[in-house]
Amino acid sequence: MTKADLVAQIAARANMTKAAAERSLNAMLESVQEMLAEDGKLTLTGFGTFVAETRQERQGRNPRTGDVITIAASKVVRFRPGKMLKDALNK
């Protein structure tokens, strides 16, 4: 599913125009991004939890040359599904 598909589905379910649905989706995505940047955690009860975690610096290999390289530390977002989402997927 693409973002355009999601916008069309939101518009149909919420009985709104695609433009309004896209604005709503963009606002939601921006809010999620801001919350993760500020607090590092966002919980949507029943759906799941988004958590920003720090990945440690580590050693890796360049697949072309086989040389050992250092991969810098970075922040990543992890998602832990909630019970309602798990139950919906396992019907």
Side-chain angles (χ1 to χ4, degrees):
M1 175 179 271
T2 64
K3 183 178 177 183
D5 296 335
L6 183 57
V7 167
Q9 193 168 23
I10 291 169
R13 289 185 180 207
N15 195 23
M16 58 180 15
T17 65
K18 286 185 181 180
E22 185 171 10
R23 284 193 303 272
S24 297
L25 179 60
N26 288 338
M28 185 265 203
L29 294 175
E30 289 171 7
S31 297
V32 168
Q33 185 176 350
E34 288 173 9
M35 291 297 292
L36 289 174
E38 291 173 10
D39 300 335
K41 185 175 181 179
L42 172 66
T43 301
L44 300 172
T45 304
F47 183 72
T49 303
F50 294 92
V51 179
E53 295 178 349
T54 302
R55 182 181 286 173
Q56 298 295 321
E57 182 178 276
R58 62 194 190 280
Q59 297 295 315
R61 291 197 177 272
N62 181 332
R64 282 195 182 151
T65 63
D67 294 339
V68 175
I69 58 172
T70 300
I71 301 169
S74 62
K75 287 191 174 186
V76 294
V77 176
R78 305 247 191 249
F79 177 73
R80 296 185 183 112
K83 182 173 180 359
M84 288 174 45
L85 180 58
K86 286 181 189 178
D87 292 346
L89 294 174
N90 292 312
K91 281 186 178 178

